[in-house]
Amino acid sequence: MKYVVYSVLLLLTLVLQTAGVPGLVFFGFKPELMLLLSLIFAMILEPGAAAVFGFAAGLAQDLVVGRFIMLHAGVFMVVALALGYAIQRFYRENIIVRFIALFLGTGLGEVLYLLGAASFGLSMPWRSSTWLTILAVSFFNGLVGALVYRPLSKLNRHLIYLDELVKRTG
Amino acid sequence: MLEQILRWKVPLIIVLVVVMVGTIHYTSTSRLTVSLLEGIGRDILVPFQWVFSRVQRFVLNQTDKIQTLRTLKERNAELEELVQSLQAEVFELRNYKRENEWLREALDFKNEREHDLLVAEVIGRSPSNWESTIILNKGMAHGVEKGMAVVTNDGVVGTVINVSRYSCTVLLIIDAQSATGGLVQATGDLVLVEGGQADRETLMARPLSRDTVVEVGDIIVTSGLSTVYPKNLPVGEVVAVEPRDYNLSFSAVVRPFVDFARLEYVLIVLPQEQRGEAA
């Protein structure tokens, strides 16, 4: 049950992220919704499961982009795993902790992606606009993610309960 | 059990890393076709993206309509004035048309069209901030191939970089990986028009010879030297000229005629023989 819901969530997020006209653009930048979803689930799930979730989200995004396939998958997996372990040391129910975790996670993810792409030939200069975009995306993800965490966490608990119920009742 | 898993963990991670690096390397360069998995993935997304872009367009249109209603009276008066001036212009153009037809006949002019166009709808955009691509609802099933040019009535949009059965991805000319052969319309000098500007809205034109002269207000069109774009398609207008290399050279900032943020429909340039199949 939960895997079906996770897949639907990923699909919907990907469709929202790649929306046609004029696209999901705020002040000239696109929020990284797939990365945001991976990071939120990194705070909800166990680190191992979060890494798998991040890998799936990144791979789905890679298949749409069609370039550097597995780069998003690898980056999302690493960042989700890192956040999954790091957040265990903090009180994630605190909204400020969540904001900082998502802000840093998104920033790290974006920098890792650009470094990875640059090492495979993407000529993206490190200008102030690049850093500004990373900052803006991180801020957006931190803000939105800190608010969306609760409902998604509740949904996940409900899914675990349903799965357990199905398992026990057969 | 735990020991067994741990024993396999390190080799598993090594295999995973090797596979990932190999795949990234393989897909970092231009490919003729997309893989089966990519094709299936993209074609599954097409109907969802189509529905979502329609909903989004409907909402935007309604918002526009509400805003338009506010200024309707003023616009009506303006448009009436415009109609009057256009009527005079149409009359003049009819005269030119008649004259043109007469001259064509006199010169035995052959009006041959080298390319045909296929209308496609923009159903998606790149999910990342670091690529400027759009997804169209036309693919191999409609005769679209990698490398085809994509244009609008305003000018050049980009080139098809990969195609699945029912969709294709277009690399916009504003992308960092894009380079187009251009021509300064006023002088005929060749320039190289590149994307990847910081604002992701403008282009950079670099001269291909020392004698090239570019001024603010010049129009850049496609040179037609490559096999991708037909000749003389409008690219953009020069809005600034910046000196480079201790004033020995320069680069021109070009504002494209196409508004990439508001692309809804585009035209894929097909070779003539393919148009029939696509229809």
Side-chain angles (χ1 to χ4, degrees):
Chain A
M1 177 76 166
K2 67 177 177 186
Y3 297 113
V4 176
V5 176
Y6 290 167
S7 306
V8 172
L9 260 177
L10 282 176
L11 182 74
L12 286 177
T13 310
L14 192 60
V15 172
L16 190 65
Q17 174 107 37
T18 59
V21 186
L24 203 64
V25 178
F26 297 99
F27 306 107
F29 72 89
K30 289 179 203 166
E32 292 274 1
L33 298 181
M34 294 295 271
L35 179 58
L36 174 62
L37 197 67
S38 305
L39 293 174
I40 291 173
F41 273 93
M43 294 197 293
I44 294 171
L45 305 170
E46 290 294 309
V52 175
F53 188 94
F55 182 83
L59 189 60
Q61 183 157 328
D62 280 330
L63 292 178
V64 174
V65 172
R67 212 167 22 167
F68 307 118
I69 291 176
M70 288 279 186
L71 186 55
H72 276 118
V75 167
F76 287 13
M77 184 176 74
V78 168
V79 176
L81 192 68
L83 184 66
Y85 278 116
I87 202 72
Q88 288 177 341
R89 295 171 181 272
F90 299 96
Y91 182 60
R92 71 192 81 173
E93 295 306 312
N94 185 322
I95 197 163
I96 296 165
V97 170
R98 289 204 298 266
F99 172 80
I100 293 169
L102 292 166
F103 180 86
L104 293 177
T106 306
L108 179 67
E110 294 286 85
V111 170
L112 282 179
Y113 178 79
L114 282 179
L115 283 174
S119 41
F120 285 96
L122 180 78
S123 56
M124 179 65 73
W126 293 86
R127 290 178 291 222
S128 57
S129 62
T130 310
W131 290 109
L132 201 68
T133 304
I134 293 171
L135 203 69
V137 173
S138 305
F139 188 78
F140 178 92
N141 275 9
L143 208 64
V144 173
L147 299 170
V148 175
Y149 168 81
R150 276 271 171 84
L152 282 177
S153 175
K154 206 179 269 182
L155 174 76
N156 192 58
R157 275 203 302 272
H158 191 65
L159 288 172
I160 291 169
Y161 169 74
L162 282 177
D163 275 349
E164 197 59 37
L165 201 68
V166 170
K167 205 188 281 177
R168 287 187 186 188
T169 55
Chain B
M1 183 69 182
L2 190 70
E3 279 178 7
Q4 272 185 335
I5 293 170
L6 283 175
R7 202 185 300 157
W8 284 103
K9 214 173 187 177
V10 175
L12 204 70
I13 289 170
I14 292 169
V15 170
L16 189 67
V17 168
V18 169
V19 169
M20 285 172 82
V21 171
T23 315
I24 297 168
H25 179 70
Y26 173 68
T27 55
S28 64
T29 50
S30 180
R31 290 173 296 152
L32 275 175
T33 52
V34 293
S35 65
L36 185 69
L37 195 63
E38 280 174 272
I40 292 169
R42 284 178 199 187
D43 288 340
I44 287 172
L45 274 183
V46 168
F48 292 102
Q49 287 175 320
W50 185 81
V51 169
F52 197 86
S53 64
R54 281 293 163 105
V55 172
Q56 197 186 22
R57 202 168 295 162
F58 175 77
V59 172
L60 285 173
N61 282 344
Q62 296 310 310
T63 319
D64 274 353
K65 273 183 191 168
I66 293 166
Q67 284 176 340
T68 312
L69 277 172
R70 289 178 189 164
T71 53
L72 208 59
K73 272 189 182 177
E74 285 171 26
R75 284 197 65 194
N76 195 32
E78 280 174 25
L79 287 172
E80 270 179 17
E81 260 180 54
L82 191 68
V83 166
Q84 280 177 357
S85 67
L86 285 174
Q87 272 174 342
E89 206 171 315
V90 166
F91 180 74
E92 199 178 344
L93 286 172
R94 274 188 193 143
N95 282 340
Y96 282 130
K97 190 188 168 195
R98 208 178 310 123
E99 194 180 304
N100 192 7
E101 280 169 357
W102 184 84
L103 284 169
R104 274 170 191 263
E105 278 173 28
L107 287 166
D108 195 23
F109 187 85
K110 285 182 182 174
N111 186 18
E112 283 182 357
R113 287 172 66 189
E114 284 179 12
H115 300 91
D116 273 304
L117 304 166
L118 175 69
V119 179
E121 189 179 342
V122 179
I123 56 165
R125 284 170 185 274
S126 165
S128 165
N129 276 298
W130 316 112
E131 285 104 13
S132 299
T133 56
I134 52 171
I135 302 160
L136 308 180
N137 67 338
K138 293 284 190 287
M140 275 187 284
H142 309 93
V144 181
E145 286 173 12
K146 183 178 180 263
M148 284 180 173
V150 179
V151 299
T152 66
N153 289 336
D154 296 326
V156 175
V157 173
T159 46
V160 175
I161 50 166
N162 48 49
V163 193
S164 70
R165 188 149 178 79
Y166 298 109
S167 72
C168 67
T169 307
V170 177
L171 184 77
L172 302 179
I173 52 168
I174 50 170
D175 187 272
Q177 303 293 299
S178 170
T180 311
L183 198 73
V184 183
Q185 201 177 36
T187 59
D189 289 333
L190 292 171
V191 288
L192 186 68
V193 184
E194 295 172 325
Q197 288 286 87
D199 56 10
R200 288 186 218 121
E201 285 175 1
T202 55
L203 301 159
M204 181 68 77
R206 297 183 195 281
L208 290 183
S209 84
R210 282 189 175 189
D211 309 325
T212 301
V213 179
V214 178
E215 285 172 6
V216 172
D218 276 348
I219 304 294
I220 306 291
V221 295
T222 50
S223 65
L225 292 176
S226 73
T227 51
V228 178
Y229 296 108
K231 198 176 178 181
N232 284 330
L233 288 175
V235 176
E237 184 184 355
V238 176
V239 289
V241 179
E242 294 162 357
R244 280 173 52 214
D245 304 334
Y246 306 100
N247 279 340
L248 291 172
S249 183
F250 67 87
S251 54
V253 180
V254 178
R255 183 162 296 284
F257 291 125
V258 175
D259 183 359
F260 294 99
R262 292 205 165 270
L263 278 176
E264 289 186 37
Y265 293 93
V266 293
L267 302 161
I268 302 171
V269 182
L270 298 172
Q272 203 162 31
E273 67 271 15
Q274 284 198 12
R275 185 68 180 98
E277 292 164 24

